[in-house]
PDB file of all heavy atoms in Angstrom:
ATOM      1  N   SER A   1      83.735 -14.609  55.133  1.00  0.00           N
ATOM      2  CA  SER A   1      82.760 -15.132  54.171  1.00  0.00           C
ATOM      3  C   SER A   1      82.669 -16.653  54.237  1.00  0.00           C
ATOM      4  O   SER A   1      81.593 -17.230  54.061  1.00  0.00           O
ATOM      5  CB  SER A   1      83.135 -14.702  52.748  1.00  0.00           C
ATOM      6  OG  SER A   1      83.082 -13.291  52.625  1.00  0.00           O
ATOM      7  N   GLU A   2      83.795 -17.305  54.502  1.00  0.00           N
ATOM      8  CA  GLU A   2      83.812 -18.760  54.553  1.00  0.00           C
ATOM      9  C   GLU A   2      83.172 -19.298  55.826  1.00  0.00           C
ATOM     10  O   GLU A   2      82.460 -20.300  55.800  1.00  0.00           O
ATOM     11  CB  GLU A   2      85.256 -19.271  54.453  1.00  0.00           C
ATOM     12  CG  GLU A   2      85.920 -19.034  53.118  1.00  0.00           C
ATOM     13  CD  GLU A   2      85.299 -19.865  52.006  1.00  0.00           C
ATOM     14  OE1 GLU A   2      84.488 -20.753  52.308  1.00  0.00           O
ATOM     15  OE2 GLU A   2      85.624 -19.612  50.833  1.00  0.00           O
ATOM     16  N   VAL A   3      83.455 -18.639  56.956  1.00  0.00           N
ATOM     17  CA  VAL A   3      82.959 -19.167  58.227  1.00  0.00           C
ATOM     18  C   VAL A   3      81.531 -18.717  58.521  1.00  0.00           C
ATOM     19  O   VAL A   3      80.835 -19.332  59.338  1.00  0.00           O
ATOM     20  CB  VAL A   3      83.907 -18.749  59.378  1.00  0.00           C
ATOM     21  CG1 VAL A   3      83.657 -17.299  59.810  1.00  0.00           C
ATOM     22  CG2 VAL A   3      83.772 -19.690  60.568  1.00  0.00           C
ATOM     23  N   ALA A   4      81.066 -17.677  57.842  1.00  0.00           N
ATOM     24  CA  ALA A   4      79.715 -17.161  58.078  1.00  0.00           C
ATOM     25  C   ALA A   4      78.632 -18.223  57.891  1.00  0.00           C
ATOM     26  O   ALA A   4      77.710 -18.313  58.711  1.00  0.00           O
ATOM     27  CB  ALA A   4      79.440 -15.947  57.186  1.00  0.00           C
ATOM     28  N   PRO A   5      78.699 -19.062  56.816  1.00  0.00           N
ATOM     29  CA  PRO A   5      77.657 -20.089  56.675  1.00  0.00           C
ATOM     30  C   PRO A   5      77.609 -21.058  57.850  1.00  0.00           C
ATOM     31  O   PRO A   5      76.533 -21.531  58.227  1.00  0.00           O
ATOM     32  CB  PRO A   5      78.066 -20.808  55.378  1.00  0.00           C
ATOM     33  CG  PRO A   5      78.832 -19.784  54.616  1.00  0.00           C
ATOM     34  CD  PRO A   5      79.586 -19.019  55.651  1.00  0.00           C
ATOM     35  N   LEU A   6      78.775 -21.345  58.448  1.00  0.00           N
ATOM     36  CA  LEU A   6      78.797 -22.230  59.612  1.00  0.00           C
ATOM     37  C   LEU A   6      78.090 -21.581  60.797  1.00  0.00           C
ATOM     38  O   LEU A   6      77.319 -22.223  61.513  1.00  0.00           O
ATOM     39  CB  LEU A   6      80.237 -22.565  59.985  1.00  0.00           C
ATOM     40  CG  LEU A   6      81.041 -23.390  58.977  1.00  0.00           C
ATOM     41  CD1 LEU A   6      82.457 -23.590  59.483  1.00  0.00           C
ATOM     42  CD2 LEU A   6      80.372 -24.719  58.712  1.00  0.00           C
ATOM     43  N   ILE A   7      78.363 -20.296  60.993  1.00  0.00           N
ATOM     44  CA  ILE A   7      77.734 -19.571  62.093  1.00  0.00           C
ATOM     45  C   ILE A   7      76.230 -19.483  61.880  1.00  0.00           C
ATOM     46  O   ILE A   7      75.437 -19.670  62.813  1.00  0.00           O
ATOM     47  CB  ILE A   7      78.353 -18.159  62.230  1.00  0.00           C
ATOM     48  CG1 ILE A   7      79.826 -18.276  62.653  1.00  0.00           C
ATOM     49  CG2 ILE A   7      77.570 -17.315  63.234  1.00  0.00           C
ATOM     50  CD1 ILE A   7      80.538 -16.944  62.768  1.00  0.00           C
ATOM     51  N   GLU A   8      75.818 -19.212  60.636  1.00  0.00           N
ATOM     52  CA  GLU A   8      74.384 -19.135  60.347  1.00  0.00           C
ATOM     53  C   GLU A   8      73.708 -20.478  60.561  1.00  0.00           C
ATOM     54  O   GLU A   8      72.562 -20.544  61.025  1.00  0.00           O
ATOM     55  CB  GLU A   8      74.167 -18.657  58.906  1.00  0.00           C
ATOM     56  CG  GLU A   8      74.522 -17.194  58.692  1.00  0.00           C
ATOM     57  CD  GLU A   8      73.777 -16.277  59.667  1.00  0.00           C
ATOM     58  OE1 GLU A   8      72.561 -16.476  59.847  1.00  0.00           O
ATOM     59  OE2 GLU A   8      74.419 -15.391  60.248  1.00  0.00           O
ATOM     60  N   ASN A   9      74.402 -21.553  60.242  1.00  0.00           N
ATOM     61  CA  ASN A   9      73.867 -22.890  60.460  1.00  0.00           C
ATOM     62  C   ASN A   9      73.655 -23.153  61.945  1.00  0.00           C
ATOM     63  O   ASN A   9      72.652 -23.727  62.351  1.00  0.00           O
ATOM     64  CB  ASN A   9      74.831 -23.930  59.870  1.00  0.00           C
ATOM     65  CG  ASN A   9      74.346 -25.347  60.088  1.00  0.00           C
ATOM     66  OD1 ASN A   9      74.748 -25.991  61.063  1.00  0.00           O
ATOM     67  ND2 ASN A   9      73.517 -25.846  59.201  1.00  0.00           N
ATOM     68  N   ILE A  10      74.603 -22.702  62.750  1.00  0.00           N
ATOM     69  CA  ILE A  10      74.493 -22.865  64.201  1.00  0.00           C
ATOM     70  C   ILE A  10      73.340 -22.028  64.749  1.00  0.00           C
ATOM     71  O   ILE A  10      72.550 -22.490  65.581  1.00  0.00           O
ATOM     72  CB  ILE A  10      75.822 -22.469  64.878  1.00  0.00           C
ATOM     73  CG1 ILE A  10      76.923 -23.469  64.501  1.00  0.00           C
ATOM     74  CG2 ILE A  10      75.667 -22.402  66.401  1.00  0.00           C
ATOM     75  CD1 ILE A  10      78.311 -23.055  64.941  1.00  0.00           C
ATOM     76  N   ARG A  11      73.210 -20.793  64.253  1.00  0.00           N
ATOM     77  CA  ARG A  11      72.129 -19.912  64.706  1.00  0.00           C
ATOM     78  C   ARG A  11      70.765 -20.459  64.296  1.00  0.00           C
ATOM     79  O   ARG A  11      69.787 -20.357  65.046  1.00  0.00           O
ATOM     80  CB  ARG A  11      72.335 -18.502  64.150  1.00  0.00           C
ATOM     81  CG  ARG A  11      73.587 -17.822  64.695  1.00  0.00           C
ATOM     82  CD  ARG A  11      73.903 -16.539  63.969  1.00  0.00           C
ATOM     83  NE  ARG A  11      73.051 -15.442  64.358  1.00  0.00           N
ATOM     84  CZ  ARG A  11      73.167 -14.201  63.888  1.00  0.00           C
ATOM     85  NH1 ARG A  11      74.101 -13.934  63.001  1.00  0.00           N
ATOM     86  NH2 ARG A  11      72.366 -13.254  64.285  1.00  0.00           N
ATOM     87  N   ALA A  12      70.711 -21.057  63.111  1.00  0.00           N
ATOM     88  CA  ALA A  12      69.449 -21.624  62.640  1.00  0.00           C
ATOM     89  C   ALA A  12      68.991 -22.780  63.520  1.00  0.00           C
ATOM     90  O   ALA A  12      67.795 -23.088  63.599  1.00  0.00           O
ATOM     91  CB  ALA A  12      69.606 -22.101  61.198  1.00  0.00           C
ATOM     92  N   ALA A  13      69.945 -23.414  64.203  1.00  0.00           N
ATOM     93  CA  ALA A  13      69.618 -24.524  65.100  1.00  0.00           C
ATOM     94  C   ALA A  13      69.163 -24.036  66.474  1.00  0.00           C
ATOM     95  O   ALA A  13      68.873 -24.842  67.359  1.00  0.00           O
ATOM     96  CB  ALA A  13      70.815 -25.451  65.249  1.00  0.00           C
ATOM     97  N   GLY A  14      69.100 -22.707  66.634  1.00  0.00           N
ATOM     98  CA  GLY A  14      68.614 -22.150  67.896  1.00  0.00           C
ATOM     99  C   GLY A  14      69.686 -21.639  68.833  1.00  0.00           C
ATOM    100  O   GLY A  14      69.398 -21.147  69.921  1.00  0.00           O
ATOM    101  N   VAL A  15      70.949 -21.742  68.418  1.00  0.00           N
ATOM    102  CA  VAL A  15      72.056 -21.254  69.243  1.00  0.00           C
ATOM    103  C   VAL A  15      72.379 -19.833  68.785  1.00  0.00           C
ATOM    104  O   VAL A  15      72.948 -19.634  67.714  1.00  0.00           O
ATOM    105  CB  VAL A  15      73.292 -22.160  69.105  1.00  0.00           C
ATOM    106  CG1 VAL A  15      74.432 -21.639  69.977  1.00  0.00           C
ATOM    107  CG2 VAL A  15      72.948 -23.593  69.470  1.00  0.00           C
ATOM    108  N   THR A  16      72.025 -18.849  69.590  1.00  0.00           N
ATOM    109  CA  THR A  16      72.156 -17.455  69.142  1.00  0.00           C
ATOM    110  C   THR A  16      73.119 -16.622  69.975  1.00  0.00           C
ATOM    111  O   THR A  16      73.621 -15.605  69.500  1.00  0.00           O
ATOM    112  CB  THR A  16      70.780 -16.764  69.158  1.00  0.00           C
ATOM    113  OG1 THR A  16      70.224 -16.853  70.475  1.00  0.00           O
ATOM    114  CG2 THR A  16      69.826 -17.438  68.169  1.00  0.00           C
ATOM    115  N   ALA A  17      73.381 -17.022  71.220  1.00  0.00           N
ATOM    116  CA  ALA A  17      74.304 -16.259  72.061  1.00  0.00           C
ATOM    117  C   ALA A  17      75.723 -16.383  71.521  1.00  0.00           C
ATOM    118  O   ALA A  17      76.148 -17.458  71.089  1.00  0.00           O
ATOM    119  CB  ALA A  17      74.242 -16.752  73.507  1.00  0.00           C
ATOM    120  N   LEU A  18      76.468 -15.283  71.528  1.00  0.00           N
ATOM    121  CA  LEU A  18      77.824 -15.287  70.982  1.00  0.00           C
ATOM    122  C   LEU A  18      78.711 -16.327  71.657  1.00  0.00           C
ATOM    123  O   LEU A  18      79.470 -17.043  71.004  1.00  0.00           O
ATOM    124  CB  LEU A  18      78.449 -13.890  71.121  1.00  0.00           C
ATOM    125  CG  LEU A  18      77.791 -12.767  70.311  1.00  0.00           C
ATOM    126  CD1 LEU A  18      78.461 -11.440  70.616  1.00  0.00           C
ATOM    127  CD2 LEU A  18      77.859 -13.070  68.817  1.00  0.00           C
ATOM    128  N   ARG A  19      78.613 -16.412  72.972  1.00  0.00           N
ATOM    129  CA  ARG A  19      79.424 -17.373  73.717  1.00  0.00           C
ATOM    130  C   ARG A  19      79.058 -18.804  73.324  1.00  0.00           C
ATOM    131  O   ARG A  19      79.923 -19.660  73.133  1.00  0.00           O
ATOM    132  CB  ARG A  19      79.207 -17.171  75.218  1.00  0.00           C
ATOM    133  CG  ARG A  19      79.884 -18.178  76.146  1.00  0.00           C
ATOM    134  CD  ARG A  19      81.378 -18.033  76.151  1.00  0.00           C
ATOM    135  NE  ARG A  19      82.034 -18.971  75.261  1.00  0.00           N
ATOM    136  CZ  ARG A  19      83.329 -19.052  75.066  1.00  0.00           C
ATOM    137  NH1 ARG A  19      84.126 -18.202  75.662  1.00  0.00           N
ATOM    138  NH2 ARG A  19      83.845 -19.947  74.267  1.00  0.00           N
ATOM    139  N   ALA A  20      77.779 -19.068  73.171  1.00  0.00           N
ATOM    140  CA  ALA A  20      77.318 -20.403  72.800  1.00  0.00           C
ATOM    141  C   ALA A  20      77.751 -20.759  71.380  1.00  0.00           C
ATOM    142  O   ALA A  20      78.116 -21.907  71.093  1.00  0.00           O
ATOM    143  CB  ALA A  20      75.809 -20.493  72.933  1.00  0.00           C
ATOM    144  N   ILE A  21      77.712 -19.767  70.477  1.00  0.00           N
ATOM    145  CA  ILE A  21      78.166 -20.006  69.102  1.00  0.00           C
ATOM    146  C   ILE A  21      79.657 -20.342  69.104  1.00  0.00           C
ATOM    147  O   ILE A  21      80.112 -21.262  68.407  1.00  0.00           O
ATOM    148  CB  ILE A  21      77.891 -18.777  68.219  1.00  0.00           C
ATOM    149  CG1 ILE A  21      76.387 -18.565  68.055  1.00  0.00           C
ATOM    150  CG2 ILE A  21      78.559 -18.935  66.850  1.00  0.00           C
ATOM    151  CD1 ILE A  21      76.022 -17.281  67.333  1.00  0.00           C
ATOM    152  N   ALA A  22      80.425 -19.596  69.899  1.00  0.00           N
ATOM    153  CA  ALA A  22      81.862 -19.853  70.001  1.00  0.00           C
ATOM    154  C   ALA A  22      82.122 -21.267  70.519  1.00  0.00           C
ATOM    155  O   ALA A  22      82.986 -21.985  70.002  1.00  0.00           O
ATOM    156  CB  ALA A  22      82.514 -18.824  70.923  1.00  0.00           C
ATOM    157  N   ASP A  23      81.369 -21.673  71.530  1.00  0.00           N
ATOM    158  CA  ASP A  23      81.535 -23.023  72.093  1.00  0.00           C
ATOM    159  C   ASP A  23      81.250 -24.091  71.039  1.00  0.00           C
ATOM    160  O   ASP A  23      81.941 -25.113  70.973  1.00  0.00           O
ATOM    161  CB  ASP A  23      80.608 -23.215  73.295  1.00  0.00           C
ATOM    162  CG  ASP A  23      81.039 -22.396  74.501  1.00  0.00           C
ATOM    163  OD1 ASP A  23      82.209 -21.969  74.538  1.00  0.00           O
ATOM    164  OD2 ASP A  23      80.201 -22.185  75.400  1.00  0.00           O
ATOM    165  N   GLU A  24      80.220 -23.857  70.218  1.00  0.00           N
ATOM    166  CA  GLU A  24      79.859 -24.835  69.195  1.00  0.00           C
ATOM    167  C   GLU A  24      80.930 -24.910  68.106  1.00  0.00           C
ATOM    168  O   GLU A  24      81.258 -25.998  67.620  1.00  0.00           O
ATOM    169  CB  GLU A  24      78.505 -24.476  68.578  1.00  0.00           C
ATOM    170  CG  GLU A  24      78.029 -25.424  67.490  1.00  0.00           C
ATOM    171  CD  GLU A  24      77.838 -26.850  67.953  1.00  0.00           C
ATOM    172  OE1 GLU A  24      77.727 -27.074  69.186  1.00  0.00           O
ATOM    173  OE2 GLU A  24      77.808 -27.756  67.098  1.00  0.00           O
ATOM    174  N   LEU A  25      81.484 -23.772  67.713  1.00  0.00           N
ATOM    175  CA  LEU A  25      82.563 -23.770  66.726  1.00  0.00           C
ATOM    176  C   LEU A  25      83.778 -24.530  67.259  1.00  0.00           C
ATOM    177  O   LEU A  25      84.413 -25.301  66.527  1.00  0.00           O
ATOM    178  CB  LEU A  25      82.950 -22.334  66.364  1.00  0.00           C
ATOM    179  CG  LEU A  25      81.947 -21.559  65.507  1.00  0.00           C
ATOM    180  CD1 LEU A  25      82.322 -20.085  65.449  1.00  0.00           C
ATOM    181  CD2 LEU A  25      81.872 -22.142  64.101  1.00  0.00           C
ATOM    182  N   ASN A  26      84.088 -24.318  68.536  1.00  0.00           N
ATOM    183  CA  ASN A  26      85.207 -25.035  69.154  1.00  0.00           C
ATOM    184  C   ASN A  26      84.917 -26.533  69.219  1.00  0.00           C
ATOM    185  O   ASN A  26      85.806 -27.362  69.012  1.00  0.00           O
ATOM    186  CB  ASN A  26      85.480 -24.492  70.556  1.00  0.00           C
ATOM    187  CG  ASN A  26      86.044 -23.079  70.528  1.00  0.00           C
ATOM    188  OD1 ASN A  26      86.751 -22.706  69.597  1.00  0.00           O
ATOM    189  ND2 ASN A  26      85.722 -22.292  71.536  1.00  0.00           N
ATOM    190  N   ARG A  27      83.658 -26.876  69.494  1.00  0.00           N
ATOM    191  CA  ARG A  27      83.283 -28.292  69.575  1.00  0.00           C
ATOM    192  C   ARG A  27      83.457 -28.970  68.219  1.00  0.00           C
ATOM    193  O   ARG A  27      83.818 -30.155  68.145  1.00  0.00           O
ATOM    194  CB  ARG A  27      81.830 -28.434  70.037  1.00  0.00           C
ATOM    195  CG  ARG A  27      81.405 -29.874  70.343  1.00  0.00           C
ATOM    196  CD  ARG A  27      79.915 -29.968  70.599  1.00  0.00           C
ATOM    197  NE  ARG A  27      79.129 -29.730  69.396  1.00  0.00           N
ATOM    198  CZ  ARG A  27      78.955 -30.650  68.435  1.00  0.00           C
ATOM    199  NH1 ARG A  27      79.505 -31.853  68.551  1.00  0.00           N
ATOM    200  NH2 ARG A  27      78.232 -30.386  67.371  1.00  0.00           N
ATOM    201  N   ARG A  28      83.224 -28.207  67.152  1.00  0.00           N
ATOM    202  CA  ARG A  28      83.368 -28.749  65.798  1.00  0.00           C
ATOM    203  C   ARG A  28      84.805 -28.706  65.304  1.00  0.00           C
ATOM    204  O   ARG A  28      85.096 -29.030  64.158  1.00  0.00           O
ATOM    205  CB  ARG A  28      82.481 -27.976  64.820  1.00  0.00           C
ATOM    206  CG  ARG A  28      80.992 -28.081  65.106  1.00  0.00           C
ATOM    207  CD  ARG A  28      80.188 -27.440  63.986  1.00  0.00           C
ATOM    208  NE  ARG A  28      78.765 -27.384  64.285  1.00  0.00           N
ATOM    209  CZ  ARG A  28      77.840 -27.003  63.411  1.00  0.00           C
ATOM    210  NH1 ARG A  28      78.194 -26.641  62.191  1.00  0.00           N
ATOM    211  NH2 ARG A  28      76.555 -26.968  63.763  1.00  0.00           N
ATOM    212  N   SER A  29      85.714 -28.265  66.154  1.00  0.00           N
ATOM    213  CA  SER A  29      87.145 -28.182  65.827  1.00  0.00           C
ATOM    214  C   SER A  29      87.438 -27.165  64.732  1.00  0.00           C
ATOM    215  O   SER A  29      88.429 -27.280  64.005  1.00  0.00           O
ATOM    216  CB  SER A  29      87.691 -29.558  65.407  1.00  0.00           C
ATOM    217  OG  SER A  29      87.564 -30.485  66.454  1.00  0.00           O
ATOM    218  N   VAL A  30      86.572 -26.161  64.597  1.00  0.00           N
ATOM    219  CA  VAL A  30      86.809 -25.071  63.652  1.00  0.00           C
ATOM    220  C   VAL A  30      87.756 -24.071  64.305  1.00  0.00           C
ATOM    221  O   VAL A  30      87.540 -23.663  65.448  1.00  0.00           O
ATOM    222  CB  VAL A  30      85.494 -24.369  63.267  1.00  0.00           C
ATOM    223  CG1 VAL A  30      85.766 -23.184  62.360  1.00  0.00           C
ATOM    224  CG2 VAL A  30      84.548 -25.348  62.600  1.00  0.00           C
ATOM    225  N   LYS A  31      88.808 -23.691  63.612  1.00  0.00           N
ATOM    226  CA  LYS A  31      89.784 -22.751  64.140  1.00  0.00           C
ATOM    227  C   LYS A  31      89.505 -21.330  63.648  1.00  0.00           C
ATOM    228  O   LYS A  31      88.892 -21.137  62.608  1.00  0.00           O
ATOM    229  CB  LYS A  31      91.206 -23.162  63.729  1.00  0.00           C
ATOM    230  CG  LYS A  31      91.626 -24.534  64.248  1.00  0.00           C
ATOM    231  CD  LYS A  31      91.645 -24.576  65.763  1.00  0.00           C
ATOM    232  CE  LYS A  31      92.126 -25.916  66.278  1.00  0.00           C
ATOM    233  NZ  LYS A  31      92.110 -25.980  67.756  1.00  0.00           N
ATOM    234  N   THR A  32      89.959 -20.363  64.411  1.00  0.00           N
ATOM    235  CA  THR A  32      89.861 -18.976  63.974  1.00  0.00           C
ATOM    236  C   THR A  32      90.863 -18.740  62.853  1.00  0.00           C
ATOM    237  O   THR A  32      91.657 -19.627  62.512  1.00  0.00           O
ATOM    238  CB  THR A  32      90.159 -18.006  65.132  1.00  0.00           C
ATOM    239  OG1 THR A  32      91.527 -18.204  65.553  1.00  0.00           O
ATOM    240  CG2 THR A  32      89.235 -18.261  66.312  1.00  0.00           C
ATOM    241  N   GLN A  33      90.863 -17.554  62.302  1.00  0.00           N
ATOM    242  CA  GLN A  33      91.777 -17.252  61.206  1.00  0.00           C
ATOM    243  C   GLN A  33      93.233 -17.456  61.615  1.00  0.00           C
ATOM    244  O   GLN A  33      94.060 -17.875  60.806  1.00  0.00           O
ATOM    245  CB  GLN A  33      91.568 -15.822  60.722  1.00  0.00           C
ATOM    246  CG  GLN A  33      92.410 -15.461  59.503  1.00  0.00           C
ATOM    247  CD  GLN A  33      92.207 -14.033  59.055  1.00  0.00           C
ATOM    248  OE1 GLN A  33      91.470 -13.280  59.672  1.00  0.00           O
ATOM    249  NE2 GLN A  33      92.844 -13.648  57.968  1.00  0.00           N
ATOM    250  N   ARG A  34      93.556 -17.185  62.867  1.00  0.00           N
ATOM    251  CA  ARG A  34      94.922 -17.348  63.356  1.00  0.00           C
ATOM    252  C   ARG A  34      95.177 -18.730  63.957  1.00  0.00           C
ATOM    253  O   ARG A  34      96.221 -18.963  64.552  1.00  0.00           O
ATOM    254  CB  ARG A  34      95.234 -16.264  64.389  1.00  0.00           C
ATOM    255  CG  ARG A  34      95.207 -14.848  63.797  1.00  0.00           C
ATOM    256  CD  ARG A  34      95.606 -13.825  64.828  1.00  0.00           C
ATOM    257  NE  ARG A  34      95.619 -12.482  64.262  1.00  0.00           N
ATOM    258  CZ  ARG A  34      95.951 -11.384  64.931  1.00  0.00           C
ATOM    259  NH1 ARG A  34      96.299 -11.480  66.210  1.00  0.00           N
ATOM    260  NH2 ARG A  34      95.941 -10.208  64.348  1.00  0.00           N
ATOM    261  N   GLY A  35      94.204 -19.617  63.801  1.00  0.00           N
ATOM    262  CA  GLY A  35      94.404 -20.977  64.276  1.00  0.00           C
ATOM    263  C   GLY A  35      94.103 -21.199  65.746  1.00  0.00           C
ATOM    264  O   GLY A  35      94.482 -22.232  66.306  1.00  0.00           O
ATOM    265  N   GLY A  36      93.422 -20.249  66.385  1.00  0.00           N
ATOM    266  CA  GLY A  36      93.121 -20.370  67.806  1.00  0.00           C
ATOM    267  C   GLY A  36      91.686 -20.792  68.076  1.00  0.00           C
ATOM    268  O   GLY A  36      90.964 -21.233  67.178  1.00  0.00           O
ATOM    269  N   SER A  37      91.285 -20.664  69.345  1.00  0.00           N
ATOM    270  CA  SER A  37      89.930 -21.018  69.756  1.00  0.00           C
ATOM    271  C   SER A  37      89.007 -19.805  69.643  1.00  0.00           C
ATOM    272  O   SER A  37      89.459 -18.654  69.655  1.00  0.00           O
ATOM    273  CB  SER A  37      89.937 -21.518  71.211  1.00  0.00           C
ATOM    274  OG  SER A  37      90.730 -22.684  71.330  1.00  0.00           O
ATOM    275  N   TRP A  38      87.721 -20.088  69.544  1.00  0.00           N
ATOM    276  CA  TRP A  38      86.723 -19.032  69.411  1.00  0.00           C
ATOM    277  C   TRP A  38      86.265 -18.509  70.757  1.00  0.00           C
ATOM    278  O   TRP A  38      86.191 -19.253  71.734  1.00  0.00           O
ATOM    279  CB  TRP A  38      85.513 -19.558  68.640  1.00  0.00           C
ATOM    280  CG  TRP A  38      85.792 -19.816  67.202  1.00  0.00           C
ATOM    281  CD1 TRP A  38      86.278 -20.967  66.663  1.00  0.00           C
ATOM    282  CD2 TRP A  38      85.631 -18.903  66.116  1.00  0.00           C
ATOM    283  NE1 TRP A  38      86.431 -20.832  65.307  1.00  0.00           N
ATOM    284  CE2 TRP A  38      86.028 -19.590  64.934  1.00  0.00           C
ATOM    285  CE3 TRP A  38      85.177 -17.597  66.017  1.00  0.00           C
ATOM    286  CZ2 TRP A  38      85.994 -18.984  63.685  1.00  0.00           C
ATOM    287  CZ3 TRP A  38      85.141 -16.999  64.769  1.00  0.00           C
ATOM    288  CH2 TRP A  38      85.545 -17.678  63.624  1.00  0.00           C
TER     289      TRP A  38
END
């Protein structure tokens, strides 16, 4: 629920591929629930 708004924000900017979304989250230094990379 917390990370969903970030993903939606990225998708709204035109980034829709799962791999591309993961790359953008990593670029923003957002960690997964276990503290790893997306």
Side-chain angles (χ1 to χ4, degrees):
S1 297
E2 292 292 350
V3 79
L6 294 178
I7 294 178
E8 289 305 315
N9 179 265
I10 293 171
R11 295 170 76 178
V15 180
T16 57
L18 295 177
R19 175 69 263 179
I21 293 173
D23 290 341
E24 180 61 19
L25 288 169
N26 291 328
R27 188 188 69 78
R28 297 187 186 187
S29 299
V30 176
K31 299 298 183 182
T32 64
Q33 185 181 2
R34 296 184 178 181
S37 298
W38 290 88

